[in-house]
Amino acid sequence: MTTLPITKRGAEKLKAELHNLKTVQRPWVINAISEARAQGDLSENAEYEVAKDRQGFIEGRIQEVEGKLSAAQIIDPSTFEPGTRVVFGSTVKLEDEATGDSVTYQIVGEDEADIKLGLVNIGSPIARALIGKDEGDSAEVQAPGGIRRYEIVSVSYL
């Protein structure tokens, strides 16, 4: 089985979601199904069908999250030796060489990625272009608008 890199924060979020699914969502949907059954004829009971669909979704998500956690390689970037190399979990401040605009990204696992929060998936073009580079290096990224060049201003491990 392949391991999936995930930050400690990302693993905690998945564990919290799993806990919510098992302790809140699952009991709620079981109760909703039993209430719908109590109303009689199930063949024309829309509430029963909705509850059964929801139960299927919840059980599927539980299996998915458990699978991801079992395959997870949890990485805590705050334990890294201070350095200048971009690795999984590092926070990278970049400057667009054409415009001078600055952006900061943290390279995270697939489930944690949220570009609005500055969290980029390790499999994304920008993360692939940055991994292995050092502060002061330039990285070329194939963006939808064409190739963009970024200078790596700083690397930190938060």
Side-chain angles (χ1 to χ4, degrees):
M1 177 180 268
T2 323
T3 59
L4 303 170
I6 189 169
T7 65
K8 186 176 176 183
R9 180 184 64 236
E12 293 302 320
K13 283 179 66 176
L14 281 178
K15 287 176 186 176
E17 179 185 358
L18 184 61
H19 179 73
N20 179 48
L21 287 167
K22 286 183 169 183
T23 62
V24 177
Q25 299 292 321
R26 183 187 269 167
W28 176 86
V29 79
I30 290 170
N31 186 47
I33 290 171
S34 67
E35 285 179 10
R37 277 190 181 150
Q39 294 177 5
D41 186 15
L42 298 180
S43 64
E44 295 181 14
N45 191 331
E47 291 171 0
Y48 177 77
E49 291 300 320
V50 169
K52 288 297 283 182
D53 287 345
R54 181 75 184 148
Q55 181 183 36
F57 172 79
I58 290 169
E59 295 302 323
R61 184 64 184 157
I62 287 172
Q63 287 181 352
E64 182 181 357
V65 172
E66 286 177 337
K68 287 179 181 186
L69 285 171
S70 69
Q73 177 186 5
I74 300 171
I75 299 170
D76 185 358
S78 66
T79 62
F80 294 170
E81 291 282 327
T84 61
R85 179 147 302 198
V86 179
V87 295
F88 178 85
S90 58
T91 300
V92 185
K93 183 175 181 182
L94 305 171
E95 184 176 298
D96 188 315
E97 292 182 356
T99 64
D101 294 339
S102 290
V103 291
T104 302
Y105 295 123
Q106 182 180 17
I107 300 173
V108 297
E110 178 182 329
D111 291 305
E112 306 169 77
D114 185 344
I115 195 70
K116 293 177 185 170
L117 299 176
L119 304 172
V120 293
N121 180 356
I122 190 165
S124 69
I126 193 157
R128 288 192 315 243
L130 294 172
I131 294 287
K133 300 243 189 299
D134 286 296
E135 279 182 21
D137 289 350
S138 288
E140 286 188 2
V141 178
Q142 180 63 48
I147 294 178
R148 304 195 61 176
R149 291 181 54 84
Y150 292 98
E151 179 184 346
I152 301 171
V153 177
S154 67
V155 178
S156 58
Y157 309 107
L158 307 173

